[in-house]
Amino acid sequence: IGTTRDLTRTAVLQRARILKAQVLAGADPRADAKQKKLVPTFASFSQAKYMPFVKAHKRSWRNDEAMLRLRILPAFGQTPLNQITRRQIQAYHAELKDTGLSPATCDHDLKLMRHMLNLAVQWDLLPSNPAARVPLYRHCNRVENYVSPDQLARLLTVLQTHNARTVCHVVMFLLSTGARLNEALKASWKDIDTETRVWRI
């Protein structure tokens, strides 16, 4: 129940009577303590649950493994899942940016944590996801590059002379049509009218 330094004799007797009534009614007074012991740390959840799951469902799982090893586990590894707070995650997200990482990289870490904690909720290890409403930076770091006439001439020379003819033909087809790669690779002869020179996608 507690130590003599923390509780008076009267308080202990009152608490003991309550616990006795709960036990007689079929309750387990230590159920909460037992449940807390069952909640894994973020590191053990990552190793025992998340990584085996993600290796079977995600081709880029090595990226997740690297993010966890380099940044997330040093910050949250020893913390039980149910003790990770939204405030801690927000602070971690902000600190990442302060270290000089790009906003997009910081967002990748947050998205991974959000995904992992969503799974913990689905697997009944957490009642809710503390990362659910932490805002992303949503910084667009795309850079548009345009091929110069000199670069285009060099590219066309390579495409006309290189030994990898299939790849060269595909790239020439993409340059000529502006099609997406997936559209070009899935095209079949029945989609192309050679008389009118029309390709129906």
Side-chain angles (χ1 to χ4, degrees):
I1 295 176
T3 67
T4 54
R5 278 175 292 184
D6 300 327
L7 296 168
T8 65
R9 182 174 180 277
T10 304
V12 169
L13 290 172
Q14 287 175 346
R15 180 66 180 146
R17 277 195 292 271
I18 292 169
L19 290 173
K20 185 176 180 181
Q22 290 175 346
V23 170
L24 290 172
D28 181 357
R30 298 189 63 214
D32 287 345
K34 289 176 184 175
Q35 186 60 37
K36 285 178 182 176
K37 288 182 181 178
L38 293 176
V39 177
T41 63
F42 194 87
S44 61
F45 168 73
S46 169
Q47 184 178 5
K49 298 276 188 187
Y50 179 71
M51 288 311 301
F53 172 80
V54 81
K55 283 178 182 179
H57 293 87
K58 191 176 180 183
R59 281 186 294 180
S60 60
W61 62 266
R62 286 185 179 84
N63 294 340
D64 292 6
E65 188 177 52
M67 281 188 278
L68 286 165
R69 177 173 40 83
L70 294 173
R71 296 184 293 273
I72 299 175
L73 290 182
F76 294 98
Q78 300 311 308
T79 309
L81 287 179
N82 61 350
Q83 292 180 25
I84 297 174
T85 66
R86 182 176 294 114
R87 194 171 197 171
Q88 289 172 329
I89 296 170
Q90 284 174 325
Y92 168 76
H93 192 219
E95 286 165 11
L96 284 180
K97 194 174 179 186
D98 291 341
T99 64
L101 291 175
S102 72
T105 300
C106 300
D107 282 351
H108 285 316
D109 277 39
L110 176 55
K111 287 175 187 175
L112 175 55
M113 285 195 72
R114 188 179 288 170
H115 177 56
M116 291 178 72
L117 294 171
N118 271 337
L119 289 174
V121 172
Q122 289 177 30
W123 296 336
D124 296 323
L125 296 171
L126 278 179
S128 62
N129 183 349
R133 293 198 300 274
V134 178
L136 297 168
Y137 291 122
R138 298 189 186 280
H139 178 75
C140 181
N141 60 355
R142 292 181 183 175
V143 177
E144 286 190 351
N145 291 308
Y146 296 93
V147 178
S148 69
D150 181 54
Q151 290 171 328
L152 180 59
R154 293 204 310 270
L155 174 60
L156 291 173
T157 299
V158 170
L159 293 176
Q160 290 163 358
T161 58
H162 197 277
N163 291 332
R165 296 314 307 148
T166 301
V167 175
C168 293
H169 287 312
V170 170
V171 175
M172 285 290 288
F173 188 75
L174 295 174
L175 285 172
S176 301
T177 62
R180 295 182 175 89
L181 177 61
N182 193 43
E183 292 170 343
L185 295 179
K186 288 186 175 179
S188 62
W189 284 113
K190 65 179 175 55
D191 303 324
I192 297 171
D193 186 333
T194 51
E195 290 185 12
T196 59
R197 300 171 64 86
V198 171
W199 170 32
R200 184 179 296 279
I201 301 173

